[in-house]
Amino acid sequence: MAISRRAFLQSSIAGGAALTAFGFDVTPVVAQAKTLKIARTSETRSTCPYCSVSCGVIIHTLGDRAKNAVPQVVHVEGDPDHPINRGTLCPKGASLEQDILNERRLLTPQVRRPGSDRFEDISWDAAVDEIARWVKTTRDATFIAKDAKSRVVNRCEGIAWTGGCTDTNELNYLVVKTMRSLGVVYLENQARV
Amino acid sequence: MRESWDRRVQRAEQLVADSGPAASLLAFYARLLRQQRTVYDSLDDRTLSGAIEQDAALIAGGATAVLEEVAAHGPAPLVAEARALLACDASAIRALLVDHWRTRSDRQFFAKAILQPYGQRLVEAGRTYQRSASLSGERCPRCGGAPQLSILEAAGAESTDGGSRTLLCATCLTGWPCRRVRCPACGEEDERKLGYFHSETLDHIRVDACESCRRYLKTIDRGRLGLAVPLVDEVAGAPLDVWAQEHGYDKIELNLVGL
């Protein structure tokens, strides 16, 4: 049958019954199609950041990519095509959506003062200034240029660094460079993926 | 297996009873499925050679039931075509089947409907075929058919376990695995050019579309509805076809109601 794929649409536009390519009347189907609320979702492959297993995940993001629309992550699931996890996720990886969408997520730096029982918000500028001041003070006080046998070691044992599992490669690169330049030896950044 | 045809018929009857907007399409499809089941029953895989030129005579013998059913209950264009075929001798039907097996056009309603039971019989008997070099995109590894739809299997008890994707062949009705984020028509894997459209009204069906080639196919998510019978629920999702085609997407393979 030499009927184009959109033949039913053409007949609909012409005012007649809406017909499929084989001549079926789909007028009620067209009527329902006009009432459907259709949402566009994209699937993005990514890697779980939580441990060195590096499971594959698929992130579902709702949004039609219009300029005035904010994309919204609606679901995260294991990637069934990934050779490591074949679609499965551990309980921590299964909570990835909450790593992205979480009303308890911190949006500003916080500090807990000596003797205090709570964290308090602090501005980014104040945090940077205070960290810089404490790093300088602590390093000056605890820097070891030579060990007991007079060997040059140039290390700072008064400062330690630990990173989080969701830190990016770029952040971890900068952390290592910065900490090594300060002489920090107690350094863990959880760089795994 | 015959049970697969029984499940399709029962699911179609169930959806007809639900009186949704696609009920009239499903009522016809249920009739067609019963006749396809008859064709399937009439074929014995021990007598089938796997060469369409030799098997066409056997298939054509059972095709009359399909033609008569459509002539009695189909839409006008198919009724006219059915009557014309019924008036011809068996060689015309054999030629139609052989031609369709070689060229695979989704516009040839009768050849596709009659050859589906044959294709399924052959695959169940473990036969495979040479894929034609002229066929493009994802093709059935057994018979070279285009995908009618895709299926997301329910992977596990947790909703965060990703279900694997299977494409269902429009010719032999068997499945083969396909990557989740990939266009079956052009092979596009750029996530920015792929997406799916979904409505809560038809919660377990979605339209997987590609912005590179503007083709689409529907996906049946068995994680959302385990009772779904993909081939039948795909027809029940007709409103999504209308929506997709109104928005400029072309379906990879029209189904047997022409959507």
Side-chain angles (χ1 to χ4, degrees):
Chain A
M1 300 180 69
I3 300 173
S4 76
R5 288 179 182 273
R6 295 177 199 159
F8 76 96
L9 275 181
Q10 291 165 4
S11 57
S12 177
I13 291 166
L19 303 176
T20 73
F22 294 144
F24 291 93
D25 183 352
V26 285
T27 304
V29 172
V30 172
Q32 195 200 29
K34 292 184 188 304
T35 68
L36 292 178
K37 290 182 178 176
I38 304 279
R40 185 189 191 281
T41 306
S42 60
E43 295 176 304
T44 307
R45 284 168 299 188
S46 188
T47 306
C48 175
Y50 284 141
C51 81
S52 53
V53 174
S54 308
C55 293
V57 297
I58 296 177
I59 301 170
H60 296 240
T61 308
L62 184 67
D64 58 3
R65 295 185 296 178
K67 284 185 177 175
N68 58 349
V70 179
Q72 175 88 26
V73 172
V74 291
H75 185 49
V76 179
E77 63 179 331
D79 183 353
D81 302 316
H82 200 281
I84 288 175
N85 57 317
R86 291 286 180 195
T88 60
L89 289 175
C90 74
K92 190 173 181 181
S95 70
L96 262 179
E97 182 183 349
Q98 293 150 46
D99 182 59
I100 303 164
L101 298 170
N102 197 328
E103 61 184 17
R104 298 172 63 191
R105 188 170 182 168
L106 297 179
L107 301 176
T108 62
Q110 291 190 321
V111 61
R112 194 176 74 176
R113 300 293 178 194
S116 174
D117 63 349
R118 70 190 65 184
F119 282 90
E120 56 190 79
D121 287 350
I122 184 172
S123 72
W124 283 101
D125 286 343
V128 170
D129 288 347
E130 197 162 327
I131 290 168
R133 190 170 67 249
W134 278 109
V135 166
K136 177 77 168 70
T137 303
T138 306
R139 185 173 183 274
D140 288 349
T142 63
F143 190 79
I144 302 171
K146 292 183 179 178
D147 65 6
K149 295 181 179 177
S150 297
R151 291 176 298 200
V152 176
V153 291
N154 286 335
R155 66 180 181 235
C156 172
E157 296 183 352
I159 300 175
W161 175 277
T162 183
C165 55
T166 56
D167 290 347
T168 62
N169 264 349
E170 291 74 16
L171 175 71
N172 285 327
Y173 174 85
L174 292 174
V175 165
V176 171
K177 289 291 181 190
T178 307
M179 293 300 124
R180 294 295 184 217
S181 68
L182 293 172
V184 171
V185 289
Y186 303 130
L187 172 62
E188 165 60 54
N189 61 17
Q190 293 200 41
R192 304 182 194 282
V193 178
Chain B
M1 292 181 289
R2 191 178 198 277
E3 292 75 30
S4 62
W5 291 100
D6 293 340
R7 281 197 298 274
R8 288 167 193 150
V9 171
Q10 288 166 9
R11 179 65 176 162
E13 290 170 344
Q14 179 191 357
L15 291 171
V16 170
D18 290 346
S19 303
S24 64
L25 297 176
L26 288 159
F28 171 83
Y29 193 47
R31 290 178 180 279
L32 180 63
L33 284 168
R34 285 190 210 102
Q35 299 312 317
Q36 286 184 300
R37 182 172 60 187
T38 303
V39 175
Y40 178 85
D41 289 341
S42 72
L43 298 171
D44 182 346
D45 53 30
R46 289 169 298 184
T47 62
L48 297 176
S49 69
I52 188 65
E53 295 80 4
Q54 296 173 34
D55 294 339
L58 293 171
I59 308 164
T64 310
V66 173
L67 295 171
E68 290 174 344
E69 188 73 21
V70 176
H73 300 284
L78 291 183
V79 167
E81 195 176 349
R83 287 175 179 162
L85 285 169
L86 285 167
C88 296
D89 59 15
S91 63
I93 298 176
R94 289 200 300 272
L96 182 75
L97 299 179
V98 171
D99 180 58
H100 179 75
W101 195 257
R102 289 173 178 162
T103 58
R104 306 293 173 87
S105 168
D106 57 359
R107 317 296 174 83
Q108 294 181 347
F109 170 87
F110 287 103
K112 181 177 174 181
I114 294 165
L115 283 170
Q116 280 182 341
Y118 169 71
Q120 185 172 333
R121 269 283 186 211
L122 289 184
V123 169
E124 287 169 0
R127 311 275 174 78
T128 55
Y129 307 93
Q130 190 72 35
R131 175 181 163 162
S132 169
S134 64
L135 302 173
S136 60
E138 283 275 357
R139 290 283 173 166
C140 172
R142 292 176 181 269
C143 76
Q148 182 70 69
L149 55 92
S150 75
I151 303 164
L152 286 186
E153 301 291 351
E158 301 296 330
S159 65
T160 50
D161 287 348
S164 59
R165 184 190 196 193
T166 301
L167 298 177
L168 191 78
C169 177
T171 304
C172 67
L173 306 182
T174 53
W176 74 97
C178 176
R179 291 179 65 84
R180 278 280 298 272
V181 187
R182 176 182 169 85
C183 171
C186 70
E188 179 64 77
E189 293 192 358
D190 185 341
E191 294 130 349
R192 293 166 296 182
K193 295 178 179 175
L194 299 170
Y196 64 86
F197 298 94
H198 175 255
S199 167
E200 290 183 0
T201 308
L202 295 160
D203 191 45
H204 66 295
I205 308 172
R206 68 187 212 188
V207 172
D208 284 22
C210 174
E211 300 300 335
S212 290
C213 65
R214 302 293 290 177
R215 310 290 295 279
Y216 81 96
L217 87 173
K218 293 213 293 293
T219 294
I220 310 300
D221 190 345
R222 278 182 149 161
R224 291 177 184 264
L225 184 64
L227 292 172
V229 176
L231 207 58
V232 182
D233 285 68
E234 202 271 342
V235 174
L240 292 173
D241 284 306
V242 172
W243 183 90
Q245 293 176 29
E246 281 184 342
H247 284 76
Y249 296 103
D250 274 343
K251 200 171 186 182
I252 293 174
E253 173 86 11
L254 293 180
N255 59 25
L256 284 173
V257 296
L259 278 177

